[in-house]
Amino acid sequence: RHAIVGFTMIERRLLLSLLLGSLSGVGHCAGVCDVATEERLDCWPEQTPVDQASCNGRGCCWTAVSAGGPPPCFYGLNATQYGYVMETASLSSDRGNQYVDAHLAAAYPHVPDQIAELHFDAFYETDTRLRLKIYDARTERYQVPQYLVPRPVDGLHDNATSPSYSVQFASEGQFGVTITRDTGEMLLSAVGLNFIFADQFLQMTWQVPDRRLYGLGEHRAPLMYDLGEWRRVGMWTHDQPPEPDDNLYASYPMYVMINDQGIAHGVVLLNSNAMDVTLQPMPAVTWRTIGGIFDFYVLTGPTPGQVMEQFFQLLGAPRIPPYWGLGYHLCRWGYTTANQTWDVVRRLRALEFPQEVQWNDIDYMDSYLDFTYDPVNYDTLPQMVADLHAHKQRYIMIVEPGVSDDLPNKALETGNEMHVWVNRSDGVTPIEGQVWPGNTYFPDFTGESSLAWWEQNLARFHQQIPFDGVWIDM
């Protein structure tokens, strides 16, 4: 009789395949691809098409499937020979925190530059918040800067006194991390079959307890994702119109999961690189990103409202908008003059329509230069804004963070003086792109002098046009 305990579902299937193969006298290779459909892990996450020969060349399994379902190219049960194993002898603790190392036992043959040694740090930060940080043990890698996102520093915080969770690492020579509630309910259980930590590709799959998942914004998509269906959610913020399932202007690598009893928990991945998240019926969530580290926060709720409170305690609450920001706003591209814009405002007034705010797109600019207005077509803009204010209305205009480096302008001059641009790898040469005014430089929103640059230029422009808000585009 054989007992199989302490393993994930997929690992149990591998052991059963080996066992049945030995009992029947048939080589276990015949069962390598015997992976239940809902448990298949994508071995070809790239957007490029894949065929059977390419998939098999990667050492993975192939099954023809229709689009939108399980992956046609998936890891076989033999993939457990690759990846990392825990060094349980290194396990240590300090004030309740746990630390353990892992090393790369065998590299996946299709992924370059895999990291040889990893640290796993489990910080018991509060009774309802666990942090699991997975990072290169030898070389420092990019992390979201502390000054941009203030948060507890590694280990330098008050620890949980009665944590509502616990962490278990796999035994020596195996890979695994399991996070459970103090009630014994599993919240996350790492799957070792496809865990990859390379220089420019990180991938980690977690088995999760439920199917109802909310979050992973910002997308034009359902409020709730049902993990009974296969879905990939991409996160790469850019100037994207609201097309179905496309990432819009913001990325929130965070979700809330709610079970049948209404008990909730949340998971946050603090990583600002491009990423995608695959949801599948196992149920499981696979995170993939092209850089940085895995820096997970688990929030135990247990109500959905408490999960959000814990999220705000970690990263800060959203700013409350001004009262007038909740009213009716009107904006469009294509107002060719200030007078045309003004006429729209007057017509709405005549209809007694309760308009709070009028906006202008890039039409108002002089040659598409930031912090300027067209002295010909928008010569009456100051009077229009004064009229809005006289009627207790507000004005917002667009500002494009692409500053012309061809035409003389104050934004370029101050930006050069204050060294605010996004630079090439040499750290001094600005990256040049193409936006509305032609050749442009881009202010680095993470730069130490960028805030002062924005304040200086907005204050100067406000003296000409007393706007009430700005729309920072792209």
Side-chain angles (χ1 to χ4, degrees), residues 94-99 120-135 152-160 163 165 167 169 295-298:
D94 173 41
R95 297 186 303 129
N97 302 320
Q98 293 178 271
Y99 309 91
F120 286 67
D121 296 348
F123 297 112
Y124 287 50
E125 292 192 343
T126 74
D127 288 349
T128 56
R129 185 177 76 230
L130 167 75
R131 180 187 183 191
L132 179 65
K133 181 179 177 182
I134 306 171
Y135 58 104
V153 179
D154 300 4
L156 303 179
H157 47 75
D158 294 332
N159 278 57
Y165 51 82
V167 182
F169 293 103
D295 200 355
F296 292 103
Y297 291 84
V298 181

Side-chain angles (χ1 to χ4, degrees), residues 316-337:
R319 293 184 179 274
I320 298 176
Y323 183 67
W324 56 264
L326 304 177
Y328 180 79
H329 297 229
L330 183 61
C331 176
R332 61 159 289 179
W333 176 83
Y335 291 129
T336 57
T337 67

